């Protein structure tokens, strides 16, 4: 499979394998054909190529990343693999090294990796504790312009809920987010007056016409129930812009009846959930010299059964919150399948890296129908077990019907940042 050997703009790819749900059909995988002309999905073309059952997907949406944190592991490794260790290490590194040039170089590296793997839309969180907000948001705005037409970019601000003040420095951050066309974001954890803070937060978002995105209950403490409070506050305030909640780990440690009751509220509030299984597996239930008992993943099956839109995303890459990762959505879905037992279940989980995140963020919906851009990821795998058994390093990525160069950036490019002067 090498489109550089095909000297025709218009072609029909016969004998391809596509998840039925992406074609609006019932069932699992189907063998069919897909045609390309003028950079778009088209009606059948006279030149045909047998693809031997290769799987075809639209390009991916990665709706929860941290491009600004990415790839600092070389100078700021997590000392013990814990969540607290990650918080403290990132905070120290941010204060010492996150200049505009440093952030730009690392974010660009991450975007090049994501693009090579077949991602066409990303939402990134940006640490926005002053003065970092005035450094990172202009960098993001420049990168969004630079990457236009290759990766659609969104950003959400990120602060801890204890730093939120409707009349304090966060007002400037919120205005910066609004001017940049961003998303208002915050990390929630138990505070005595969190309900009041959330009400004010949603008021600020509504006044600026912004949607909301929260890091929620990233802990296995069953007493952490800020997800429930967010759902109640959305219902009580009538906030009608999209609300995304990420992580939601504590649900997996709670009493079953209580957790299910919370999920009923989440469904009623219309929240979008994004699960980050790789990062949560790395951080949660980590104790010295003790085998972890819990996976950290939230209750995705129970959410899906209630009609709650569920997505999976990369989260952190090679930073103290996750030492690994490469913004590869096939890896994300492969690991989510293993960690969350998505196999032997519904046959439409692929929506979690395509349709669901695009809808949650307002990106263009992925499509394989005639007229849609021919932005495709093609893998030699012919079935789910073949897809998930190997990393699909030889995948083909087409953008507007043209095969891109999938050469990944070399980690050595970042060496000068790992030895800051």
């Amino acid at each position: 499979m090498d489109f550089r050997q095909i000297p025709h703009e218009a072609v029909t790819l016969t004998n391809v394998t596509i998840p039925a749900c992406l074609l609006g059909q019932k069932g699992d995988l189907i063998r069919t054909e897909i045609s390309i002309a003028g950079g778009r999905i088209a009606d059948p073309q006279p030149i045909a190529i047998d693809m031997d059952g290769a799987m075809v997907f639209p390009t991916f949406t990665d709706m929860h990343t941290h491009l600004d944190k990415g790839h600092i592991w070389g100078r700021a490794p997590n000392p013990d693999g814990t969540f607290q260790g990650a918080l403290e290490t990132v905070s120290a590194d941010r204060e010492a090294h996150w200049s505009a040039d440093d952030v730009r170089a690392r974010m660009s590296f991450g975007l090049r990796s994501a693009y090579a793997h077949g991602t066409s839309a990303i939402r990134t969180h940006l640490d926005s504790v002053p003065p970092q907000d005035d450094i990172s948001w202009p960098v993001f705005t420049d990168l969004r312009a630079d990457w236009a037409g290759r990766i659609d970019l969104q950003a959400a601000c990120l602060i801890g809920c204890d730093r939120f003040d409707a009349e304090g420095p966060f007002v400037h951050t919120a205005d910066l987010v609004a001017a940049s066309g961003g998303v208002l974001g915050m990390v929630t954890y138990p505070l005595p007056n969190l309900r009041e803070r959330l009400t004010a937060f949603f008021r600020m978002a509504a006044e600026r016409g912004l949607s909301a995105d929260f890091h929620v209950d990233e802990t296995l403490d069953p007493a952490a129930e800020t997800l429930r409070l967010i759902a109640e506050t959305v219902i009580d305030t009538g906030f009608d812009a999209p609300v995304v909640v990420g992580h939601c780990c504590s649900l997996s440690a709670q009493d079953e009846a209580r957790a299910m009751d919370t999920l009923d509220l989440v469904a009623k509030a219309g929240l979008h959930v994004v699960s980050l299984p790789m990062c949560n597996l790395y951080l949660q239930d980590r104790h010295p010299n003790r085998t972890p008992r819990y996976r950290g993943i939230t209750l995705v099956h129970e959410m899906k059964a209630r009609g709650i839109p569920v997505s999976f995303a990369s989260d952190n890459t090679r930073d103290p919150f996750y030492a690994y990762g490469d913004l590869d959505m096939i890896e994300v879905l492969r690991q989510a399948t293993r960690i969350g037992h998505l196999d032997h279940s519904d046959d439409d989980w692929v929506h979690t890296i395509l349709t669901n995140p695009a809808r949650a963020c307002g990106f263009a919906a992925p499509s394989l129908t005639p007229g849609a851009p021919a932005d495709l990821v093609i893998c030699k795998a012919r079935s789910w077990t073949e897809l998930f058994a190997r990393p699909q390093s030889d995948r083909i990525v087409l953008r507007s019907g043209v095969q891109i160069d999938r050469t990944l950036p070399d980690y050595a490019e970042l060496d000068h940042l790992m030895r800051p002067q």
Side-chain angles (χ1 to χ4, degrees), residues 13 15-25 27-35 53-58 350 368 376 381-382 384:
L13 307 179
N15 193 18
V16 296
T17 303
I18 298 177
C21 63
L22 299 183
L23 299 175
Q25 301 181 30
D28 190 6
L29 299 174
I30 60 174
R31 288 288 178 95
T32 183
E33 64 181 33
I34 189 166
S35 300
M55 295 184 78
V56 177
F57 306 92
V350 72
L368 295 175
L376 305 174
R382 300 162 298 176
W384 293 119

Side-chain angles (χ1 to χ4, degrees), residues 195 216-217 225-233 257-263 265-266:
R195 186 182 298 272
V216 181
D217 299 333
E225 292 191 301
T226 68
L227 174 62
R228 187 180 187 89
L229 200 56
I230 291 170
E232 290 173 346
T233 306
R258 180 67 170 181
M260 296 307 108
D261 188 62
T262 295
L263 290 186
L265 284 172
V266 170

Side-chain angles (χ1 to χ4, degrees), residues 64 213-217 244-249 272-276:
H64 183 123
D213 192 322
F214 297 96
H215 285 58
V216 181
D217 299 333
V244 173
V245 289
H247 296 289
C248 309
C249 304
H272 298 264
V273 176
V274 56
S275 176
L276 300 314

Side-chain angles (χ1 to χ4, degrees), residues 30-316:
I30 60 174
R31 288 288 178 95
T32 183
E33 64 181 33
I34 189 166
S35 300
I36 301 170
R40 294 187 174 274
I41 308 299
D43 294 327
Q45 301 296 308
I47 303 298
I49 299 176
D50 188 334
M51 298 298 288
D52 298 321
M55 295 184 78
V56 177
F57 306 92
T59 49
F60 309 119
T61 295
D62 199 347
M63 69 170 290
H64 183 123
T65 68
H66 292 267
L67 296 176
D68 60 342
K69 290 185 177 74
H71 302 288
I72 64 172
W73 185 273
R75 71 185 184 211
N78 189 320
D80 55 10
T82 65
F83 189 87
Q84 189 62 33
L87 283 174
E88 294 173 359
T89 304
V90 166
S91 179
D93 189 74
R94 181 176 61 240
E95 293 178 8
H97 303 306
W98 288 24
S99 66
D101 288 343
D102 175 77
V103 172
R104 182 180 294 106
R106 292 184 292 97
M107 289 182 70
S108 296
F109 189 96
L111 288 167
R112 289 162 61 198
S113 300
Y115 182 70
H117 289 310
T119 289
S120 58
I122 290 177
R123 175 180 287 183
T124 182
H125 296 269
L126 298 177
D127 283 18
S128 295
V129 176
Q132 193 64 47
D133 52 353
D134 283 321
I135 297 171
S136 293
W137 279 89
V139 170
F140 165 79
T141 302
D142 289 345
L143 286 173
R144 181 175 57 191
D146 291 345
W147 280 85
R150 291 178 291 168
I151 296 181
D152 292 333
L153 286 173
Q154 290 181 353
C157 63
L158 188 65
I159 64 164
C161 59
D162 60 319
R163 290 180 176 269
F164 173 80
D165 184 344
E167 298 179 356
F170 188 69
V171 174
H172 169 71
T173 302
D175 290 341
L176 191 61
V177 172
S180 303
V183 177
L184 212 61
M186 186 167 68
V187 183
T188 59
Y189 32 80
L191 291 177
N193 62 344
L194 182 57
R195 186 182 298 272
E196 290 75 15
R197 289 175 185 258
L198 286 170
T199 299
F201 181 92
F202 284 124
R203 184 183 307 118
M204 291 183 71
E207 291 170 351
R208 291 162 176 79
L210 302 177
S211 62
D213 192 322
F214 297 96
H215 285 58
V216 181
D217 299 333
E218 194 174 356
T219 174
L220 292 177
D221 179 1
E225 292 191 301
T226 68
L227 174 62
R228 187 180 187 89
L229 200 56
I230 291 170
E232 290 173 346
T233 306
V234 168
I235 294 168
D236 291 345
T237 62
F239 185 77
D240 58 1
V243 177
V244 173
V245 289
H247 296 289
C248 309
C249 304
S250 65
L251 282 172
S252 66
Q254 290 175 1
D255 172 78
E256 185 82 1
R258 180 67 170 181
M260 296 307 108
D261 188 62
T262 295
L263 290 186
D264 290 340
L265 284 172
V266 170
K268 181 179 179 180
L271 307 186
H272 298 264
V273 176
V274 56
S275 176
L276 300 314
M278 298 191 302
C279 184
N280 291 152
L281 191 73
Y282 177 77
L283 289 174
Q284 299 303 314
D285 202 23
R286 184 185 286 271
H287 305 279
N289 304 313
R290 176 184 178 274
T291 303
R293 285 6 178 218
Y294 296 95
R295 298 178 180 221
I297 193 171
T298 194
L299 306 184
V300 294
H301 289 276
E302 293 80 357
M303 292 172 175
K304 190 170 184 291
R306 286 165 170 74
I308 299 168
V310 175
S311 301
F312 295 106
S314 292
D315 207 3
N316 300 71

